[in-house]
Amino acid sequence: MSVRSKNLSSVFYADSYHPIQAGSIDGTDVVPHDNAVYRAQLCSSIGLYDPHGDPKATGDPYCTLFVARLSRLTTQDTLHKVMSKYGQVKNLRLVRDIVTGDSRGYAFVEYETEREMRRAYMDAHHLIVDDCEIIVDYNRQQLMPGWIPRRLGGGLSGKKESGQLRFGGREKPFRAPLKSIPYEELKKLGIPPPPEGRYMSRFQVPSPPRRERSLSDREEDSHRHRRGSEDRYRKENALRSSVDIKEEHYKRSSRHRDDDHSRGRSSSERSGRYHERSSSEKEHLHRRYTDKDNRSSSEKGHRHRSSTDKDKHSRKRKERDERSQTQGKYSRHSPHED
């Protein structure tokens, strides 16, 4: 690919607004090319426009989205319904003509959070509403340094038929320069030069500016992040402990099953080994077990006979004692003694 074709597909976007630069397709003009650009440059140099002086521009600019190229028939309710798909709409202002009251084709939509605004910024661009293709952008009036509105010769984009195209925005970015860049003249006018080597493609979407956070906000965010990390750590530990308990229970139960299986297998192995022995060994084992049974039965019989003999001796002793007592009683009352 040649350098010329590569430059044709490379673009860059403006971070700050300069009327002369906005009127140039590649951002390298050093003189106004029409009267509108000259008027915008005059307003910018003497400070005739205050972007924060509009009493109707209320709300958080970081949560506000600019919607343009609306149909003149699009109502505020219709636009509210369409933009509510991307988040909760806090405020919506459809700009109208102060004389006729008709819509001027653009509006400002404020969302509850910056995240919702960014979602609409990415997804609602070139959306079809009432047969018109709309464009969306962030609130450049309050967030872009040096901003000059269209009614004073500034603004961005525009139609080719009007002859007042403005470049550097999302819809019409600057094209990479094909000629040499006049760095000295741009520096004198305070125009930032093109970012050579850091161009973007036409399919890349520039990100809206982010809110500058104070020290307290950063500390609060870090505290929230630390607290969220601790909560996640506790949940992970609880989950890990429950998993460990389940694994321990499973190992214990599997160990019991293995022991039962090994016991059953050992008894079956013993019976198998018994059947595998020779007939002489079987006879010897049978005789040994028979002798053991006979010895145990004889011991039981001996114990039974010994208990029976003890009973007999105790009865005889008792009878002798009774006879001796009877003889002694009769001897004390003998008639010979009287």
Side-chain angles (χ1 to χ4, degrees):
M1 183 182 291
S2 63
V3 178
R4 184 179 179 86
S5 60
K6 186 182 293 185
N7 286 345
L8 288 175
S9 61
S10 301
V11 298
F12 66 100
Y13 300 87
D15 295 328
S16 60
Y17 192 86
H18 196 284
I20 298 178
Q21 186 186 31
S24 173
I25 192 172
D26 57 2
T28 59
D29 284 2
V30 292
V31 293
H33 73 275
D34 60 23
N35 292 331
V37 174
Y38 181 78
R39 186 170 69 253
Q41 174 64 18
L42 182 62
C43 292
S44 177
S45 59
I46 63 178
L48 290 179
Y49 176 71
D50 181 14
H52 301 283
D54 187 0
K56 296 181 180 179
T58 59
D60 189 355
Y62 291 95
C63 299
T64 304
L65 199 68
F66 171 74
V67 184
R69 296 187 183 175
L70 291 168
S71 171
R72 307 295 179 179
L73 302 177
T74 300
T75 62
Q76 188 163 330
D77 294 337
T78 303
L79 186 60
H80 189 281
K81 183 178 179 180
V82 171
M83 303 308 292
S84 296
K85 298 177 182 177
Y86 309 102
Q88 187 174 357
V89 177
K90 185 177 180 180
N91 186 28
L92 189 148
R93 180 168 66 94
L94 183 64
V95 180
R96 298 181 179 276
D97 189 275
I98 58 175
V99 178
T100 62
D102 296 334
S103 172
R104 298 189 63 182
Y106 65 95
F108 294 91
V109 182
E110 182 185 2
Y111 285 94
E112 287 287 343
T113 62
E114 187 176 346
R115 184 176 182 179
E116 294 172 340
M117 186 277 291
R118 289 179 176 273
R119 182 186 174 191
Y121 175 84
M122 297 297 294
D123 298 341
H125 193 54
H126 290 169
L127 189 68
I128 304 298
V129 179
D130 290 339
D131 298 330
C132 288
E133 186 178 8
I134 67 173
I135 61 172
V136 297
D137 205 347
Y138 66 89
N139 190 1
R140 294 181 183 267
Q141 176 183 350
Q142 294 179 311
L143 298 181
M144 192 173 195
W147 175 256
I148 300 295
R150 171 66 72 172
R151 67 177 184 270
L152 297 178
L156 288 174
S157 190
K159 294 182 179 180
K160 190 175 182 179
E161 294 80 7
S162 65
Q164 294 185 2
L165 294 177
R166 299 293 181 267
F167 299 91
R170 182 180 185 182
E171 188 66 13
K172 286 185 174 13
F174 293 122
R175 190 182 64 190
L178 300 176
K179 58 183 181 179
S180 60
I181 303 172
Y183 289 102
E184 293 296 331
E185 290 82 356
L186 294 176
K187 186 177 181 181
K188 289 179 183 179
L189 293 171
I191 300 174
E196 286 190 298
R198 292 180 288 111
Y199 296 120
M200 302 172 67
S201 70
R202 291 185 179 272
F203 303 101
Q204 290 177 294
V205 181
S207 178
R210 295 186 178 274
R211 190 192 309 271
E212 294 182 1
R213 298 184 178 181
S214 61
L215 180 61
S216 60
D217 293 337
R218 287 197 294 268
E219 290 177 354
E220 184 179 355
D221 291 343
S222 62
H223 178 67
R224 191 184 301 111
H225 178 69
R226 187 164 55 249
R227 188 170 53 198
S229 301
E230 292 175 356
D231 293 341
R232 284 195 302 272
Y233 181 72
R234 281 197 296 269
K235 289 180 181 178
E236 288 176 359
N237 284 338
L239 182 61
R240 194 179 297 115
S241 62
S242 64
V243 171
D244 293 341
I245 291 172
K246 289 181 181 178
E247 288 182 354
E248 185 66 25
H249 178 68
Y250 175 75
K251 288 179 181 178
R252 198 178 296 119
S253 61
S254 62
R255 222 172 12 243
H256 289 321
R257 286 197 301 271
D258 293 340
D259 293 343
D260 295 340
H261 182 64
S262 62
R263 282 197 294 270
R265 187 173 55 192
S266 60
S267 62
S268 63
E269 288 177 354
R270 284 199 299 271
S271 64
R273 285 198 299 270
Y274 176 76
H275 291 298
E276 289 175 0
R277 284 171 180 153
S278 62
S279 59
S280 60
E281 289 179 350
K282 290 180 182 178
E283 252 179 66
H284 177 69
L285 289 173
H286 182 67
R287 195 163 47 246
R288 190 173 65 182
Y289 290 142
T290 306
D291 294 341
K292 189 184 292 184
D293 293 339
N294 291 336
R295 279 198 303 272
S296 62
S297 61
S298 62
E299 287 176 357
K300 288 180 182 178
H302 179 69
R303 282 198 299 270
H304 181 66
R305 283 196 301 274
S306 61
S307 61
T308 306
D309 294 340
K310 286 181 182 179
D311 294 339
K312 285 182 180 180
H313 288 306
S314 62
R315 281 200 301 272
K316 287 181 180 180
R317 192 181 302 112
K318 192 174 182 181
E319 289 176 357
R320 279 199 306 272
D321 292 339
E322 289 178 354
R323 280 199 302 272
S324 63
Q325 288 177 2
T326 305
Q327 289 176 0
K329 184 172 63 174
Y330 288 136
S331 63
R332 281 196 300 269
H333 297 285
S334 173
H336 298 286
E337 292 180 1
D338 292 337

